[in-house]
Amino acid sequence: MTDFKYFVEQFDDIKILRYQVPAFERLSLREKLFVYYLSRAALAGRDILWDQNNRYNLAVRSLLENILRDYPGDRENAAFQDFLVYAKKVFFANGVHHHYSMEKFIPTFSRDYFLELTRASGIGQVEDEVMRLIFDPDFMAKRVVLDEGKDLVAASANNYYEGVSQREVEEFYRLKPGEDEFVTRGLNSTLVKNAVGQLEEEVWRVGGKYGKQLERVVAELEMAARYACNEAQERCIALLVEYYRTGDTRLFDQYSIEWVKENEGRVDFINGFIEVYGDPLAYKASWESVVQIIDEEACERTRKLADNALWFEQNAPVDERFKKSEVNGITARVVQAAMLGGDCHPATPIGINLPNAEWIRERYGSKSVTLDNITYAYDAVSLTSGVLDEFAASGEEIRLAREYGYLGGNVHTDLHECLGHGSGKMLPGVGQEALKNYYSTIEEARADLFALYYIMDPKLVELGVIPSLDVAKCEYCNYIRNGLMVQLTRVKLGCNLEESHMRNRQLIASWVYERGQADRVIERETRDGKTYFHIRDFQRLRQLFGELLAEVQRVKSEGDFEGARHLIETYGVRIDPDLHREVLARYERLHVAPYAGFINPEYHLVERDGQIVDVRVEYPDDFLAQMLAYGKN
Ligand code: ZN
Protein backbone atom coordinates (compact mmCIF):
# COMPACT_ATOMS: atom_id res chain seq x y z
CA MET A 1 0.00 0.00 0.00
CA THR A 2 2.96 2.33 -0.55
CA ASP A 3 2.31 4.76 -3.42
CA PHE A 4 -1.33 5.37 -2.64
CA LYS A 5 -2.36 8.98 -2.01
CA TYR A 6 -3.99 9.01 1.43
CA PHE A 7 -4.21 12.75 2.03
CA VAL A 8 -6.50 14.68 -0.30
CA GLU A 9 -7.22 18.09 1.15
CA GLN A 10 -7.68 20.15 4.30
CA PHE A 11 -10.20 22.88 5.14
CA ASP A 12 -10.88 24.58 8.47
CA ASP A 13 -10.29 21.87 11.16
CA ILE A 14 -10.93 18.95 8.77
CA LYS A 15 -8.61 16.69 6.76
CA ILE A 16 -10.02 14.60 3.91
CA LEU A 17 -8.27 11.25 3.42
CA ARG A 18 -8.75 8.12 1.33
CA TYR A 19 -8.57 4.49 2.38
CA GLN A 20 -7.63 1.43 0.38
CA VAL A 21 -9.32 -2.00 0.46
CA PRO A 22 -6.61 -4.52 -0.53
CA ALA A 23 -8.62 -7.42 0.96
CA PHE A 24 -11.29 -6.84 -1.69
CA GLU A 25 -8.98 -8.22 -4.42
CA ARG A 26 -8.70 -11.53 -2.57
CA LEU A 27 -12.47 -12.15 -2.53
CA SER A 28 -14.34 -14.53 -4.83
CA LEU A 29 -16.72 -13.03 -7.40
CA ARG A 30 -19.66 -14.01 -5.22
CA GLU A 31 -18.17 -12.26 -2.18
CA LYS A 32 -17.34 -9.20 -4.27
CA LEU A 33 -20.98 -9.02 -5.38
CA PHE A 34 -22.04 -9.29 -1.73
CA VAL A 35 -19.82 -6.29 -0.94
CA TYR A 36 -21.17 -4.46 -4.01
CA TYR A 37 -24.84 -4.66 -2.98
CA LEU A 38 -24.16 -4.14 0.74
CA SER A 39 -22.26 -0.99 -0.26
CA ARG A 40 -25.21 0.29 -2.23
CA ALA A 41 -27.40 -0.40 0.81
CA ALA A 42 -24.85 1.48 2.94
CA LEU A 43 -25.27 4.60 0.81
CA ALA A 44 -29.04 4.42 0.33
CA GLY A 45 -29.92 5.69 3.81
CA ARG A 46 -27.79 8.85 3.74
CA ASP A 47 -30.71 11.31 3.63
CA ILE A 48 -32.20 9.77 6.78
CA LEU A 49 -29.19 10.85 8.79
CA TRP A 50 -29.25 14.39 7.36
CA ASP A 51 -32.88 14.77 8.38
CA GLN A 52 -32.26 13.22 11.80
CA ASN A 53 -29.51 15.76 12.45
CA ASN A 54 -31.80 18.72 11.76
CA ARG A 55 -35.14 19.11 10.06
CA TYR A 56 -33.83 21.75 7.62
CA ASN A 57 -30.57 20.03 6.72
CA LEU A 58 -31.89 18.51 3.49
CA ALA A 59 -33.23 21.91 2.39
CA VAL A 60 -29.82 23.51 3.09
CA ARG A 61 -28.03 20.73 1.24
CA SER A 62 -30.24 21.09 -1.78
CA LEU A 63 -29.40 24.84 -1.92
CA LEU A 64 -25.67 24.11 -1.68
CA GLU A 65 -25.86 21.41 -4.37
CA ASN A 66 -27.86 23.70 -6.63
CA ILE A 67 -25.38 26.56 -6.32
CA LEU A 68 -22.35 24.31 -6.78
CA ARG A 69 -23.92 22.91 -9.93
CA ASP A 70 -25.46 25.99 -11.54
CA TYR A 71 -23.82 29.19 -10.31
CA PRO A 72 -22.52 30.87 -13.46
CA GLY A 73 -20.57 33.71 -11.78
CA ASP A 74 -17.00 34.08 -10.53
CA ARG A 75 -15.89 31.02 -8.58
CA GLU A 76 -12.34 32.17 -7.95
CA ASN A 77 -12.99 35.19 -5.73
CA ALA A 78 -12.64 35.13 -1.95
CA ALA A 79 -16.38 35.20 -1.24
CA PHE A 80 -17.04 32.09 -3.32
CA GLN A 81 -14.05 30.35 -1.71
CA ASP A 82 -15.62 31.09 1.68
CA PHE A 83 -18.89 29.63 0.43
CA LEU A 84 -17.01 26.54 -0.76
CA VAL A 85 -15.44 25.95 2.67
CA TYR A 86 -18.84 26.32 4.31
CA ALA A 87 -20.38 23.83 1.86
CA LYS A 88 -17.61 21.29 2.46
CA LYS A 89 -18.00 21.61 6.23
CA VAL A 90 -21.74 21.00 5.93
CA PHE A 91 -21.20 17.97 3.68
CA PHE A 92 -18.59 16.62 6.07
CA ALA A 93 -20.86 16.98 9.11
CA ASN A 94 -24.00 15.68 7.35
CA GLY A 95 -25.63 18.95 8.29
CA VAL A 96 -25.03 22.47 9.59
CA HIS A 97 -23.61 21.42 12.99
CA HIS A 98 -20.01 20.33 13.62
CA HIS A 99 -19.83 16.53 13.79
CA TYR A 100 -17.80 16.57 17.03
CA SER A 101 -18.44 19.82 18.91
CA MET A 102 -22.11 19.86 17.78
CA GLU A 103 -21.88 23.67 17.39
CA LYS A 104 -23.50 25.27 14.36
CA PHE A 105 -21.23 26.51 11.56
CA ILE A 106 -21.39 30.26 11.06
CA PRO A 107 -20.76 31.33 7.43
CA THR A 108 -17.93 33.79 6.76
CA PHE A 109 -19.79 35.19 3.73
CA SER A 110 -22.70 37.61 3.94
CA ARG A 111 -26.38 36.95 3.71
CA ASP A 112 -26.59 39.23 0.68
CA TYR A 113 -23.86 37.32 -1.09
CA PHE A 114 -25.69 34.06 -0.41
CA LEU A 115 -28.95 35.45 -1.82
CA GLU A 116 -27.04 36.62 -4.88
CA LEU A 117 -25.68 33.08 -5.34
CA THR A 118 -29.17 31.57 -5.10
CA ARG A 119 -30.69 34.09 -7.55
CA ALA A 120 -27.93 33.63 -10.11
CA SER A 121 -28.33 29.85 -9.78
CA GLY A 122 -32.04 30.06 -10.64
CA ILE A 123 -33.26 29.24 -7.14
CA GLY A 124 -36.54 30.89 -6.12
CA GLN A 125 -37.46 32.24 -2.71
CA VAL A 126 -35.52 30.61 0.16
CA GLU A 127 -37.64 29.71 3.20
CA ASP A 128 -37.20 32.07 6.16
CA GLU A 129 -36.45 29.24 8.60
CA VAL A 130 -33.71 27.92 6.32
CA MET A 131 -32.12 31.38 6.14
CA ARG A 132 -32.30 31.63 9.93
CA LEU A 133 -30.69 28.24 10.31
CA ILE A 134 -27.77 29.30 8.12
CA PHE A 135 -27.25 32.86 9.37
CA ASP A 136 -28.78 33.36 12.84
CA PRO A 137 -26.16 32.14 15.34
CA ASP A 138 -28.72 31.78 18.14
CA PHE A 139 -31.25 29.73 16.18
CA MET A 140 -30.76 25.96 16.68
CA ALA A 141 -27.23 26.68 17.85
CA LYS A 142 -26.27 23.21 19.03
CA ARG A 143 -27.28 19.79 17.70
CA VAL A 144 -27.03 17.95 21.03
CA VAL A 145 -27.27 19.89 24.29
CA LEU A 146 -26.23 18.08 27.46
CA ASP A 147 -26.14 20.94 29.99
CA GLU A 148 -27.81 20.06 33.23
CA GLY A 149 -30.84 22.12 34.14
CA LYS A 150 -32.04 22.70 30.57
CA ASP A 151 -34.86 20.92 28.77
CA LEU A 152 -32.45 18.87 26.67
CA VAL A 153 -35.09 17.94 24.11
CA ALA A 154 -36.18 21.52 23.50
CA ALA A 155 -32.62 22.89 23.53
CA SER A 156 -31.14 20.38 21.06
CA ALA A 157 -31.36 21.15 17.34
CA ASN A 158 -31.67 17.51 16.28
CA ASN A 159 -34.90 16.21 14.75
CA TYR A 160 -35.94 13.30 16.95
CA TYR A 161 -38.79 15.03 18.77
CA GLU A 162 -41.47 17.52 17.75
CA GLY A 163 -43.35 19.74 20.16
CA VAL A 164 -42.61 17.56 23.19
CA SER A 165 -40.70 18.31 26.40
CA GLN A 166 -37.97 16.26 28.00
CA ARG A 167 -40.32 15.33 30.83
CA GLU A 168 -42.95 14.06 28.37
CA VAL A 169 -40.38 11.97 26.52
CA GLU A 170 -39.05 10.42 29.74
CA GLU A 171 -42.56 9.60 30.88
CA PHE A 172 -43.46 8.12 27.49
CA TYR A 173 -40.50 5.72 27.51
CA ARG A 174 -40.52 4.90 31.22
CA LEU A 175 -40.93 1.16 31.70
CA LYS A 176 -44.52 0.53 32.82
CA PRO A 177 -45.66 -2.45 34.89
CA GLY A 178 -46.13 -5.49 32.71
CA GLU A 179 -43.84 -4.23 29.93
CA ASP A 180 -40.96 -6.43 28.80
CA GLU A 181 -37.62 -4.82 29.70
CA PHE A 182 -35.80 -6.98 27.19
CA VAL A 183 -37.17 -5.20 24.16
CA THR A 184 -35.40 -2.27 22.58
CA ARG A 185 -37.68 0.77 22.83
CA GLY A 186 -38.04 4.04 20.99
CA LEU A 187 -34.95 3.48 18.85
CA ASN A 188 -36.56 4.03 15.46
CA SER A 189 -39.18 6.73 15.62
CA THR A 190 -39.80 10.45 15.90
CA LEU A 191 -41.90 11.29 18.93
CA VAL A 192 -44.47 13.96 18.12
CA LYS A 193 -47.61 15.52 19.56
CA ASN A 194 -50.65 14.86 17.38
CA ALA A 195 -53.56 17.19 16.60
CA VAL A 196 -55.37 16.36 19.84
CA GLY A 197 -52.27 16.78 22.00
CA GLN A 198 -51.37 13.12 22.46
CA LEU A 199 -47.85 11.75 22.10
CA GLU A 200 -47.37 9.58 19.06
CA GLU A 201 -44.45 7.75 17.46
CA GLU A 202 -43.84 8.28 13.76
CA VAL A 203 -42.06 5.00 13.10
CA TRP A 204 -39.17 4.88 10.62
CA ARG A 205 -40.20 2.08 8.26
CA VAL A 206 -41.18 1.29 4.71
CA GLY A 207 -44.51 3.03 4.21
CA GLY A 208 -43.87 5.26 7.25
CA LYS A 209 -41.39 8.04 8.02
CA TYR A 210 -38.19 7.68 5.91
CA GLY A 211 -40.15 5.08 3.90
CA LYS A 212 -38.70 6.11 0.54
CA GLN A 213 -35.08 5.77 1.71
CA LEU A 214 -35.70 2.51 3.60
CA GLU A 215 -37.39 1.02 0.53
CA ARG A 216 -34.13 1.53 -1.34
CA VAL A 217 -32.05 0.13 1.51
CA VAL A 218 -34.31 -2.93 1.55
CA ALA A 219 -34.08 -3.43 -2.24
CA GLU A 220 -30.26 -3.40 -2.09
CA LEU A 221 -30.20 -5.71 0.94
CA GLU A 222 -32.42 -8.19 -0.89
CA MET A 223 -30.03 -8.17 -3.84
CA ALA A 224 -27.13 -8.63 -1.41
CA ALA A 225 -28.84 -11.60 0.27
CA ARG A 226 -28.44 -13.62 -2.95
CA TYR A 227 -24.67 -13.49 -2.46
CA ALA A 228 -24.51 -13.92 1.33
CA CYS A 229 -21.55 -15.94 2.65
CA ASN A 230 -23.77 -18.44 4.49
CA GLU A 231 -27.29 -19.23 5.63
CA ALA A 232 -26.88 -17.41 8.94
CA GLN A 233 -26.22 -14.19 7.02
CA GLU A 234 -29.27 -14.82 4.84
CA ARG A 235 -31.34 -15.12 8.03
CA CYS A 236 -29.80 -11.89 9.37
CA ILE A 237 -30.67 -9.98 6.23
CA ALA A 238 -34.21 -11.40 6.15
CA LEU A 239 -34.78 -10.24 9.75
CA LEU A 240 -33.32 -6.81 9.05
CA VAL A 241 -35.51 -6.39 5.97
CA GLU A 242 -38.61 -7.45 7.89
CA TYR A 243 -37.70 -4.97 10.63
CA TYR A 244 -37.30 -2.12 8.10
CA ARG A 245 -40.70 -3.09 6.63
CA THR A 246 -42.59 -3.24 9.93
CA GLY A 247 -40.58 -1.01 12.27
CA ASP A 248 -40.94 -3.70 14.95
CA THR A 249 -37.88 -3.40 17.22
CA ARG A 250 -38.30 -7.01 18.43
CA LEU A 251 -37.22 -8.04 14.94
CA PHE A 252 -34.19 -5.79 15.28
CA ASP A 253 -33.29 -7.51 18.56
CA GLN A 254 -33.61 -10.91 16.85
CA TYR A 255 -31.47 -9.66 14.01
CA SER A 256 -28.82 -8.42 16.49
CA ILE A 257 -28.70 -11.82 18.18
CA GLU A 258 -28.28 -13.65 14.86
CA TRP A 259 -25.68 -11.11 13.79
CA VAL A 260 -23.60 -11.58 16.95
CA LYS A 261 -23.58 -15.34 16.47
CA GLU A 262 -22.44 -15.21 12.83
CA ASN A 263 -18.63 -15.28 12.76
CA GLU A 264 -17.77 -17.34 9.70
CA GLY A 265 -18.32 -15.11 6.69
CA ARG A 266 -15.38 -13.25 5.13
CA VAL A 267 -17.66 -10.27 4.59
CA ASP A 268 -19.74 -8.69 7.35
CA PHE A 269 -21.80 -5.55 7.69
CA ILE A 270 -23.54 -3.12 10.02
CA ASN A 271 -26.73 -1.49 8.73
CA GLY A 272 -29.39 0.12 10.86
CA PHE A 273 -30.38 2.67 13.49
CA ILE A 274 -27.44 2.00 15.79
CA GLU A 275 -25.83 4.73 17.92
CA VAL A 276 -27.75 7.03 20.24
CA TYR A 277 -25.17 9.81 20.77
CA GLY A 278 -27.27 12.18 18.64
CA ASP A 279 -30.12 12.13 21.17
CA PRO A 280 -29.38 13.75 24.55
CA LEU A 281 -31.79 11.22 26.12
CA ALA A 282 -30.18 8.30 24.25
CA TYR A 283 -33.39 6.70 22.92
CA LYS A 284 -33.20 7.56 19.22
CA ALA A 285 -30.53 6.04 17.01
CA SER A 286 -28.93 7.58 13.95
CA TRP A 287 -28.77 5.56 10.75
CA GLU A 288 -25.38 4.13 9.81
CA SER A 289 -23.74 1.37 7.84
CA VAL A 290 -20.28 -0.18 7.46
CA VAL A 291 -19.37 -2.96 5.04
CA GLN A 292 -16.33 -4.93 6.23
CA ILE A 293 -13.99 -7.56 4.85
CA ILE A 294 -12.19 -9.78 7.34
CA ASP A 295 -8.41 -9.20 7.19
CA GLU A 296 -7.26 -12.83 7.47
CA GLU A 297 -3.60 -11.94 7.82
CA ALA A 298 -4.15 -9.59 10.75
CA CYS A 299 -6.57 -12.02 12.40
CA GLU A 300 -3.83 -14.66 12.14
CA ARG A 301 -1.64 -12.40 14.32
CA THR A 302 -4.25 -12.02 17.07
CA ARG A 303 -4.92 -15.78 16.92
CA LYS A 304 -1.23 -16.57 17.54
CA LEU A 305 -1.22 -14.34 20.60
CA ALA A 306 -4.48 -15.79 21.92
CA ASP A 307 -3.23 -19.36 21.40
CA ASN A 308 -0.20 -18.58 23.59
CA ALA A 309 -2.08 -16.62 26.24
CA LEU A 310 -1.01 -18.98 29.05
CA TRP A 311 2.69 -18.70 28.15
CA PHE A 312 2.47 -14.90 28.35
CA GLU A 313 0.68 -15.11 31.68
CA GLN A 314 3.23 -17.48 33.20
CA ASN A 315 6.22 -15.48 32.02
CA ALA A 316 4.96 -12.07 33.07
CA PRO A 317 7.31 -10.21 35.46
CA VAL A 318 4.73 -10.08 38.26
CA ASP A 319 4.29 -11.83 41.60
CA GLU A 320 3.14 -15.47 41.22
CA ARG A 321 0.22 -14.81 43.56
CA PHE A 322 -1.30 -12.41 41.01
CA LYS A 323 -1.15 -14.79 38.05
CA LYS A 324 -3.97 -16.81 36.57
CA SER A 325 -3.52 -20.55 36.15
CA GLU A 326 -5.88 -20.55 33.18
CA VAL A 327 -6.38 -17.83 30.58
CA ASN A 328 -8.55 -17.30 27.55
CA GLY A 329 -7.13 -14.91 25.02
CA ILE A 330 -9.69 -12.91 23.13
CA THR A 331 -9.57 -13.07 19.35
CA ALA A 332 -10.64 -9.64 18.27
CA ARG A 333 -11.52 -9.46 14.60
CA VAL A 334 -9.52 -7.22 12.36
CA VAL A 335 -11.36 -6.00 9.29
CA GLN A 336 -10.96 -3.64 6.38
CA ALA A 337 -13.75 -1.18 5.78
CA ALA A 338 -15.09 -1.58 2.24
CA MET A 339 -17.79 1.10 2.47
CA LEU A 340 -18.83 3.67 5.07
CA GLY A 341 -22.33 5.12 5.17
CA GLY A 342 -24.70 7.27 7.19
CA ASP A 343 -23.30 8.29 10.56
CA CYS A 344 -19.98 6.46 9.80
CA HIS A 345 -19.15 8.72 6.85
CA PRO A 346 -17.12 10.84 6.13
CA ALA A 347 -15.92 10.78 9.78
CA THR A 348 -15.60 7.19 10.93
CA PRO A 349 -14.83 5.17 14.06
CA ILE A 350 -11.69 2.97 13.99
CA GLY A 351 -13.18 0.27 16.20
CA ILE A 352 -16.75 -0.90 16.68
CA ASN A 353 -18.28 -3.05 19.40
CA LEU A 354 -21.95 -4.05 18.92
CA PRO A 355 -24.79 -4.64 19.60
CA ASN A 356 -25.55 -1.84 22.03
CA ALA A 357 -28.45 -3.54 23.86
CA GLU A 358 -26.92 -4.47 27.23
CA TRP A 359 -29.17 -7.50 27.74
CA ILE A 360 -28.15 -8.97 24.37
CA ARG A 361 -24.47 -8.41 25.22
CA GLU A 362 -24.88 -10.20 28.54
CA ARG A 363 -26.68 -13.19 27.06
CA TYR A 364 -25.11 -13.52 23.63
CA GLY A 365 -21.89 -11.48 23.74
CA SER A 366 -20.76 -8.82 21.32
CA LYS A 367 -18.68 -8.49 18.18
CA SER A 368 -15.62 -6.32 18.36
CA VAL A 369 -13.81 -5.18 15.24
CA THR A 370 -11.00 -2.81 14.40
CA LEU A 371 -10.91 -1.21 10.96
CA ASP A 372 -7.24 -1.60 10.11
CA ASN A 373 -7.24 -0.01 6.66
CA ILE A 374 -8.63 3.11 8.30
CA THR A 375 -5.90 3.16 10.97
CA TYR A 376 -3.37 2.49 8.20
CA ALA A 377 -4.53 5.59 6.36
CA TYR A 378 -4.30 7.68 9.55
CA ASP A 379 -0.81 6.38 10.16
CA ALA A 380 0.34 7.01 6.59
CA VAL A 381 -0.87 10.61 6.81
CA SER A 382 0.65 11.20 10.24
CA LEU A 383 4.06 10.27 8.83
CA THR A 384 3.91 13.22 6.45
CA SER A 385 2.06 15.69 8.68
CA GLY A 386 5.35 16.92 10.13
CA VAL A 387 4.55 15.84 13.71
CA LEU A 388 6.99 12.92 13.60
CA ASP A 389 9.84 15.03 12.19
CA GLU A 390 9.16 17.79 14.71
CA PHE A 391 9.22 15.64 17.84
CA ALA A 392 11.38 12.59 17.03
CA ALA A 393 14.75 12.65 18.83
CA SER A 394 16.84 11.34 15.93
CA GLY A 395 16.88 10.43 12.25
CA GLU A 396 17.01 6.78 13.28
CA GLU A 397 13.77 7.21 15.23
CA ILE A 398 12.10 8.71 12.15
CA ARG A 399 13.37 5.87 9.98
CA LEU A 400 12.02 3.26 12.41
CA ALA A 401 8.65 5.01 12.59
CA ARG A 402 8.31 5.09 8.82
CA GLU A 403 9.19 1.42 8.49
CA TYR A 404 7.52 -0.12 11.56
CA GLY A 405 5.24 2.48 13.13
CA TYR A 406 2.03 0.98 11.77
CA LEU A 407 2.91 -2.62 12.66
CA GLY A 408 4.27 -1.63 16.08
CA GLY A 409 1.09 0.28 16.91
CA ASN A 410 -1.11 -2.63 15.83
CA VAL A 411 0.88 -5.26 17.74
CA HIS A 412 0.78 -3.03 20.81
CA THR A 413 -3.02 -2.81 20.47
CA ASP A 414 -3.27 -6.60 19.95
CA LEU A 415 -1.23 -7.31 23.09
CA HIS A 416 -3.11 -4.69 25.08
CA GLU A 417 -6.59 -5.91 24.04
CA CYS A 418 -6.16 -9.66 23.51
CA LEU A 419 -3.88 -10.39 26.48
CA GLY A 420 -3.18 -7.34 28.68
CA HIS A 421 -6.64 -6.63 30.05
CA GLY A 422 -7.35 -10.33 30.52
CA SER A 423 -4.14 -11.07 32.42
CA GLY A 424 -3.60 -11.28 36.17
CA LYS A 425 -6.03 -11.85 39.00
CA MET A 426 -7.27 -10.13 42.11
CA LEU A 427 -6.50 -11.48 45.57
CA PRO A 428 -9.54 -13.12 47.18
CA GLY A 429 -12.00 -10.54 48.49
CA VAL A 430 -10.60 -7.64 46.46
CA GLY A 431 -12.90 -5.95 43.94
CA GLN A 432 -12.18 -3.27 41.33
CA GLU A 433 -14.21 -0.72 43.34
CA ALA A 434 -11.29 -0.62 45.81
CA LEU A 435 -9.35 1.69 43.49
CA LYS A 436 -12.37 3.97 42.98
CA ASN A 437 -11.71 6.82 40.55
CA TYR A 438 -8.16 5.54 39.87
CA TYR A 439 -9.30 2.14 38.61
CA SER A 440 -9.49 2.81 34.88
CA THR A 441 -6.11 4.57 34.71
CA ILE A 442 -4.46 1.71 36.61
CA GLU A 443 -6.20 -0.83 34.37
CA GLU A 444 -5.14 0.94 31.17
CA ALA A 445 -1.58 1.25 32.50
CA ARG A 446 -1.51 -2.46 33.28
CA ALA A 447 -2.64 -3.41 29.75
CA ASP A 448 -0.17 -0.95 28.17
CA LEU A 449 2.74 -2.19 30.33
CA PHE A 450 1.92 -5.79 29.46
CA ALA A 451 2.10 -4.82 25.78
CA LEU A 452 5.30 -2.76 26.17
CA TYR A 453 7.04 -5.52 28.12
CA TYR A 454 6.17 -8.28 25.65
CA ILE A 455 6.59 -6.42 22.38
CA MET A 456 10.38 -6.55 23.08
CA ASP A 457 10.26 -10.31 23.80
CA PRO A 458 12.09 -12.61 21.30
CA LYS A 459 9.02 -14.86 21.62
CA LEU A 460 7.15 -12.48 19.33
CA VAL A 461 9.76 -12.90 16.60
CA GLU A 462 9.69 -16.65 17.13
CA LEU A 463 5.86 -16.69 16.74
CA GLY A 464 6.18 -14.64 13.56
CA VAL A 465 4.15 -11.77 15.01
CA ILE A 466 6.94 -9.27 14.25
CA PRO A 467 9.91 -9.65 11.86
CA SER A 468 12.49 -8.23 14.29
CA LEU A 469 12.87 -6.37 17.58
CA ASP A 470 13.27 -3.14 15.61
CA VAL A 471 9.46 -3.08 15.63
CA ALA A 472 9.61 -2.97 19.43
CA LYS A 473 12.27 -0.22 19.42
CA CYS A 474 10.03 1.80 17.15
CA GLU A 475 7.06 1.30 19.48
CA TYR A 476 9.16 2.33 22.51
CA CYS A 477 10.18 5.57 20.78
CA ASN A 478 6.59 6.30 19.75
CA TYR A 479 5.27 5.60 23.22
CA ILE A 480 7.77 7.81 25.05
CA ARG A 481 7.48 10.62 22.48
CA ASN A 482 3.68 10.51 22.71
CA GLY A 483 3.44 10.07 26.47
CA LEU A 484 5.83 12.90 27.32
CA MET A 485 5.14 15.33 24.49
CA VAL A 486 2.82 14.74 21.51
CA GLN A 487 -0.33 13.86 23.45
CA LEU A 488 -0.04 17.20 25.29
CA THR A 489 -1.18 18.91 22.08
CA ARG A 490 -4.72 17.75 22.95
CA VAL A 491 -4.74 19.57 26.28
CA LYS A 492 -5.19 23.32 26.83
CA LEU A 493 -2.37 25.19 28.56
CA GLY A 494 -2.90 25.33 32.31
CA CYS A 495 -5.10 22.22 32.38
CA ASN A 496 -4.28 18.88 33.96
CA LEU A 497 -4.59 15.48 32.29
CA GLU A 498 -8.11 14.17 32.90
CA GLU A 499 -8.68 11.31 30.46
CA SER A 500 -7.56 7.91 31.77
CA HIS A 501 -5.66 6.76 28.64
CA MET A 502 -3.72 10.02 28.56
CA ARG A 503 -2.98 9.83 32.28
CA ASN A 504 -1.74 6.28 31.97
CA ARG A 505 0.59 7.12 29.08
CA GLN A 506 2.21 10.00 30.94
CA LEU A 507 2.39 7.95 34.12
CA ILE A 508 4.31 5.17 32.38
CA ALA A 509 6.55 7.44 30.30
CA SER A 510 7.51 9.77 33.14
CA TRP A 511 7.99 6.95 35.66
CA VAL A 512 10.47 5.08 33.43
CA TYR A 513 12.15 8.37 32.50
CA GLU A 514 12.72 9.22 36.17
CA ARG A 515 13.78 5.69 37.23
CA GLY A 516 16.19 5.43 34.33
CA GLN A 517 17.85 8.80 34.87
CA ALA A 518 20.87 7.49 36.80
CA ASP A 519 21.63 4.98 34.01
CA ARG A 520 20.79 7.46 31.22
CA VAL A 521 18.12 5.10 29.83
CA ILE A 522 16.18 8.00 28.33
CA GLU A 523 17.98 11.30 27.91
CA ARG A 524 16.30 14.67 27.78
CA GLU A 525 18.06 16.84 25.20
CA THR A 526 17.59 20.43 24.13
CA ARG A 527 18.56 21.52 20.62
CA ASP A 528 17.73 24.99 19.23
CA GLY A 529 15.44 25.52 22.20
CA LYS A 530 13.49 22.33 21.42
CA THR A 531 13.12 19.40 23.80
CA TYR A 532 13.62 15.76 22.75
CA PHE A 533 13.53 12.48 24.67
CA HIS A 534 16.18 10.15 23.34
CA ILE A 535 16.10 6.43 24.28
CA ARG A 536 19.67 5.21 24.90
CA ASP A 537 19.12 1.73 26.34
CA PHE A 538 16.15 -0.26 25.04
CA GLN A 539 16.80 -3.44 27.06
CA ARG A 540 17.07 -1.52 30.31
CA LEU A 541 13.88 0.34 29.36
CA ARG A 542 12.14 -3.01 28.92
CA GLN A 543 13.21 -3.99 32.44
CA LEU A 544 11.77 -0.75 33.78
CA PHE A 545 8.45 -1.41 32.03
CA GLY A 546 8.51 -4.87 33.69
CA GLU A 547 9.20 -3.36 37.14
CA LEU A 548 6.35 -0.90 36.79
CA LEU A 549 4.07 -3.69 35.53
CA ALA A 550 4.84 -5.68 38.70
CA GLU A 551 3.95 -2.66 40.85
CA VAL A 552 0.77 -1.78 38.95
CA GLN A 553 -0.36 -5.42 39.03
CA ARG A 554 0.26 -5.48 42.79
CA VAL A 555 -1.77 -2.30 43.24
CA LYS A 556 -4.67 -3.79 41.30
CA SER A 557 -4.52 -7.29 42.83
CA GLU A 558 -4.34 -5.97 46.39
CA GLY A 559 -6.78 -3.12 45.77
CA ASP A 560 -4.13 -0.69 47.13
CA PHE A 561 -5.94 2.64 46.81
CA GLU A 562 -3.09 4.70 48.31
CA GLY A 563 -0.61 3.07 45.94
CA ALA A 564 -2.80 3.89 42.93
CA ARG A 565 -3.30 7.46 44.10
CA HIS A 566 0.40 7.97 44.63
CA LEU A 567 1.40 6.66 41.20
CA ILE A 568 -1.24 8.58 39.29
CA GLU A 569 -1.05 11.87 41.19
CA THR A 570 2.76 11.89 41.08
CA TYR A 571 3.25 10.94 37.45
CA GLY A 572 -0.03 11.02 35.52
CA VAL A 573 -1.91 14.23 36.23
CA ARG A 574 0.20 17.39 36.27
CA ILE A 575 1.90 18.73 33.17
CA ASP A 576 5.18 20.65 33.25
CA PRO A 577 3.91 24.08 32.09
CA ASP A 578 7.14 25.08 30.30
CA LEU A 579 7.27 21.87 28.29
CA HIS A 580 3.55 22.10 27.59
CA ARG A 581 3.88 25.66 26.24
CA GLU A 582 6.80 24.63 24.05
CA VAL A 583 4.97 21.56 22.66
CA LEU A 584 1.82 23.54 21.86
CA ALA A 585 3.85 26.21 20.03
CA ARG A 586 5.74 23.62 17.99
CA TYR A 587 2.49 21.84 17.08
CA GLU A 588 0.68 25.06 16.20
CA ARG A 589 3.30 25.87 13.55
CA LEU A 590 2.56 22.56 11.74
CA HIS A 591 -1.07 23.50 10.97
CA VAL A 592 -2.40 19.97 11.39
CA ALA A 593 -6.21 19.70 11.22
CA PRO A 594 -7.40 17.76 14.26
CA TYR A 595 -10.36 15.94 12.62
CA ALA A 596 -10.35 13.63 9.62
CA GLY A 597 -12.78 11.81 7.39
CA PHE A 598 -12.72 9.77 4.22
CA ILE A 599 -13.68 9.63 0.58
CA ASN A 600 -15.29 6.24 -0.08
CA PRO A 601 -14.11 3.89 -2.81
CA GLU A 602 -16.47 3.10 -5.70
CA TYR A 603 -17.41 -0.35 -6.95
CA HIS A 604 -18.32 -1.04 -10.56
CA LEU A 605 -19.70 -4.20 -12.15
CA VAL A 606 -17.58 -5.55 -15.01
CA GLU A 607 -19.68 -7.26 -17.67
CA ARG A 608 -18.61 -9.41 -20.58
CA ASP A 609 -21.13 -10.83 -23.10
CA GLY A 610 -24.00 -9.93 -20.78
CA GLN A 611 -22.40 -11.73 -17.83
CA ILE A 612 -21.00 -10.11 -14.70
CA VAL A 613 -17.40 -11.34 -14.56
CA ASP A 614 -15.88 -9.09 -11.91
CA VAL A 615 -16.36 -6.10 -9.61
CA ARG A 616 -13.79 -3.35 -9.98
CA VAL A 617 -12.83 -1.02 -7.12
CA GLU A 618 -11.83 2.58 -7.82
CA TYR A 619 -10.53 5.23 -5.46
CA PRO A 620 -11.84 8.68 -6.41
CA ASP A 621 -9.98 11.71 -5.00
CA ASP A 622 -12.48 14.57 -5.18
CA PHE A 623 -14.44 14.99 -1.95
CA LEU A 624 -16.94 17.51 -3.25
CA ALA A 625 -17.58 15.47 -6.40
CA GLN A 626 -18.39 12.42 -4.30
CA MET A 627 -20.72 14.44 -2.09
CA LEU A 628 -22.53 15.84 -5.15
CA ALA A 629 -22.78 12.38 -6.72
CA TYR A 630 -24.27 10.95 -3.51
CA GLY A 631 -26.77 13.81 -3.47
CA LYS A 632 -27.82 13.13 -7.06
CA ASN A 633 -28.48 9.44 -6.55
ZN1 ZN B 1 -7.57 -0.73 27.28
Side-chain angles (χ1 to χ4, degrees), residues 413 416-417 420-421 440 443-445 447-448 501 504:
T413 305
H416 175 115
E417 300 291 349
H421 279 305
S440 52
E443 182 52 22
E444 289 310 320
D448 262 1
H501 291 83
N504 116 62

